[in-house]
Amino acid sequence: MPLLRSGIDELGDEVNASHRYFLFVGEMAEGLGRVGQVGEGLSVVHDAIARAEETEERLSIAELLRIKGELLLLQGAPGAAATAEDQFYQALKWASLQGALSWELRAATSLAQLFRDQDRPADAKALLQPIYDRFIEGLDTADLKRARGLLRDLS
């Protein structure tokens, strides 16, 4: 991962302000979390969110906030669930403002999973179902399959 980070740094500010940069960094942060380097993942996503704000390149902000919420849950610090819930709600807000239905689905799925884990299945379904129902194509994508599976579990 240090090699990947140094490679990103070498690309320069022009690339750092692009939408693809933020998507790549988000994937890297998630990958760090999956291999148990949650603190490093949080650092990466925190830096990306700060850079998105600084450069006003906010197309990926919803996804970055969602990833931050997922990493906070993985970290498991006291108050992590409440902080993650706030990140998921912020992600939902940004996705909705941008009309980014796929990001909205991802954020809603993450938040619905948290609600399910908190024994709040009705809240989870009430949140996720209307967003899921807005999709009319691409129903075999990984995100929609994940949401559909969660909705089935909540029924």
Side-chain angles (χ1 to χ4, degrees):
M1 286 299 170
L3 185 58
L4 286 173
R5 261 194 147 179
S6 68
I8 291 170
D9 292 341
E10 288 180 27
L11 291 174
D13 289 334
E14 183 179 320
V15 172
N16 288 345
S18 77
H19 177 62
R20 281 178 279 168
Y21 163 80
F22 292 107
L23 293 176
F24 177 77
V25 169
E27 289 290 325
M28 187 171 84
E30 278 190 306
L32 286 164
R34 282 192 295 271
V35 298
Q37 297 179 21
V38 177
E40 180 70 13
L42 280 167
S43 176
V44 166
V45 80
H46 176 75
D47 290 350
I49 291 168
R51 186 169 287 174
E53 290 291 338
E54 178 182 301
T55 62
E56 297 183 7
E57 176 66 48
R58 296 185 182 103
L59 288 176
S60 302
I61 196 80
E63 179 64 353
L64 293 171
L65 290 165
R66 183 197 68 79
I67 291 167
K68 183 178 177 183
E70 293 286 358
L71 291 170
L72 288 165
L73 289 174
L74 282 174
Q75 189 178 45
T83 307
E85 182 175 336
D86 180 60
Q87 296 301 303
F88 296 148
Y89 273 121
Q90 286 184 50
L92 276 169
K93 180 190 80 165
W94 273 104
S96 179
L97 285 171
Q98 295 172 333
L101 186 56
S102 290
W103 291 150
E104 197 172 349
L105 178 71
R106 282 186 172 194
T109 301
S110 290
L111 184 54
Q113 285 177 316
L114 176 61
F115 287 165
R116 179 200 60 200
D117 294 346
Q118 294 173 333
D119 200 27
R120 298 167 56 191
D123 291 339
K125 189 168 184 173
L127 171 75
L128 185 56
Q129 189 72 59
I131 295 169
Y132 176 83
D133 288 344
R134 290 168 49 201
F135 284 86
I136 56 172
E137 59 186 351
L139 300 177
D140 288 330
T141 64
D143 290 340
L144 283 166
K145 286 179 179 180
R146 184 173 164 226
R148 186 169 46 249
L150 179 56
L151 286 166
R152 190 174 34 252
D153 291 347
L154 293 168
S155 294

